[in-house]
Amino acid sequence: MLQTNKLLTSKQTQCYERDGFVFPIKVMELEEAYDYGNELNNYWENPSKSIKGNKLQKIHLITTWMSEIIRHRKILDAVEDVLGPNIMCWTTTLFIKKPKDPGFVSWHQDGEYWGLDSHNVVTAWLALTPATIKNGCMKMMPGSHKWPEMKHIDTFDGNNLLTRGQVIDRNIEEDKAVEIEMHPGQISLHHVNIAHSSSPNTTNQLRMGIAIRYICPTVKQIKYDKDSATLVRGVDTESNFDLEPTPKSNYSPSALKLHERVTNNRKTLFK
Ligand SMILES: O=C(O)CCC(=O)C(=O)O
């Protein structure tokens, strides 16, 4: 292991640089993952009626358990090995597939539509149930983070979990893709430009994962003015984003208001 690394082995760091992703990285014991899985399941089955913003995004602004997850020491140690010591959480998105859910994610590169001006952006995808080929785990194309940003076509397919059903306009050699199977409590890290997708859940079990998007403070939003992020480690050296507060309780009125405002502002990115 490199002296400076906090969690990843030097082999894992090289793998991330070469392939654009690395997995599995254990960040929690099963018990802790199941506890967070229960929180997520309760939230998902019965979201508070007071939430007016996007129920899948940025819920770390309105719930304490999600706020803990984005600050989880081991997740941040792995992210620090990629981004360095100053880390902000730009957003979180829930990716949940019910039993036999036809929902899928088409081949896409996140960087194409997020409006961020640099590649100092990494997603930690945390499995809170098993993620398997049968239940629609993510698939990644090794080395595709080095492709230029590809043209995407909006399909607006109702089963596509992406807002516009955007799909890369190029032939994807599926047989070269790597299936990201993981146990609860493990994460994968993926580069903002990696080509990735996922298939429907063909099993009778729920598949739950949380995508946590981390950035360096030097990253800028170039698609709209008022973007915000949460400082989770180190210092914000740049003030490129409005800093978000930490929720002290679940669903406080001020947090709900902020969540509604920032998730509505963000719709600009997904039009
Ligand atoms: O969880 C999935 O199925 C897709 C996740 C994804 O596209 C992402 O995290 O960027």
Side-chain angles (χ1 to χ4, degrees):
M1 191 192 279
L2 285 176
Q3 285 260 292
T4 50
N5 269 14
K6 291 248 164 161
L7 186 69
L8 301 187
T9 62
S10 53
K11 213 167 153 197
Q12 284 175 315
T13 311
Q14 281 161 20
C15 177
Y16 179 82
E17 279 163 13
R18 185 194 61 224
D19 296 339
F21 59 90
V22 59
F23 78 106
I25 304 157
K26 181 175 170 180
V27 293
M28 292 176 194
E29 296 300 329
L30 272 182
E31 207 181 25
E32 190 179 7
Y34 288 146
D35 285 346
Y36 284 129
N38 283 335
E39 295 278 12
L40 178 55
N41 202 15
N42 291 338
Y43 168 85
W44 170 250
E45 292 208 321
N46 202 4
S48 163
K49 294 210 173 31
S50 50
I51 305 172
K52 302 282 183 278
N54 187 317
K55 294 187 174 58
L56 297 179
Q57 287 184 11
K58 283 215 177 223
I59 67 162
H60 56 278
L61 297 180
I62 54 173
T63 64
T64 52
W65 56 272
M66 189 71 153
S67 164
E68 276 169 27
I69 290 178
I70 65 165
R71 293 172 172 81
H72 195 281
R73 184 177 58 80
K74 283 206 164 167
I75 298 179
L76 292 181
D77 283 350
V79 170
E80 181 167 337
D81 291 339
V82 172
L83 292 185
N86 299 323
I87 306 173
M88 300 172 88
C89 172
W90 179 61
T91 195
T92 49
T93 304
L94 307 180
F95 281 99
I96 298 177
K97 293 178 183 169
K98 297 187 296 263
K100 302 284 183 198
D101 196 332
F104 71 100
V105 171
S106 49
W107 283 99
H108 70 287
Q109 289 170 304
D110 298 324
E112 193 263 341
Y113 62 107
W114 284 357
L116 301 175
D117 75 336
S118 108
H119 287 170
N120 289 326
V121 181
V122 66
T123 293
W125 195 102
L126 171 66
L128 291 180
T129 60
T132 64
I133 294 173
K134 286 193 172 154
N135 72 15
C137 65
M138 280 192 294
K139 296 181 263 186
M140 304 213 179
M141 192 56 70
S144 54
H145 61 308
K146 294 183 182 152
W147 295 351
E149 273 172 23
M150 306 300 296
K151 183 171 180 285
H152 286 58
I153 295 172
D154 294 339
T155 64
F156 296 103
D157 185 321
N159 285 329
N160 196 323
L161 302 182
L162 301 179
T163 40
R164 288 177 283 111
Q166 57 270 43
V167 59
I168 294 177
D169 185 19
R170 108 173 218 173
N171 182 39
I172 299 284
E173 295 170 278
E174 286 264 355
D175 55 322
K176 300 214 168 100
V178 175
E179 319 259 14
I180 313 293
E181 291 197 289
M182 291 194 290
H183 298 299
Q186 294 182 332
I187 59 167
S188 56
L189 294 178
H190 71 257
H191 186 278
V192 67
N193 259 11
I194 196 77
H196 59 296
S197 69
S198 71
S199 300
N201 181 358
T202 61
T203 72
N204 291 320
Q205 279 87 43
L206 187 67
R207 187 213 78 154
M208 295 193 296
I210 302 172
I212 316 170
R213 323 294 190 181
Y214 292 105
I215 58 175
C216 285
T218 49
V219 171
K220 287 191 185 131
Q221 174 55 260
I222 51 177
K223 274 203 179 167
Y224 69 105
D225 282 342
K226 279 273 157 223
D227 205 353
S228 60
T230 302
L231 183 66
V232 287
R233 181 172 279 183
V235 283
D236 174 13
T237 48
E238 313 291 325
S239 306
N240 289 339
F241 293 81
D242 288 346
L243 289 184
E244 298 162 339
T246 308
K248 305 256 173 331
S249 59
N250 289 333
Y251 313 123
S252 79
S254 60
L256 285 163
K257 230 169 154 178
L258 174 74
H259 176 256
E260 184 180 359
R261 182 163 54 77
V262 299
T263 57
N264 280 341
N265 280 348
R266 214 157 259 249
K267 283 183 187 158
T268 325
L269 297 178
F270 304 113
K271 271 181 189 153

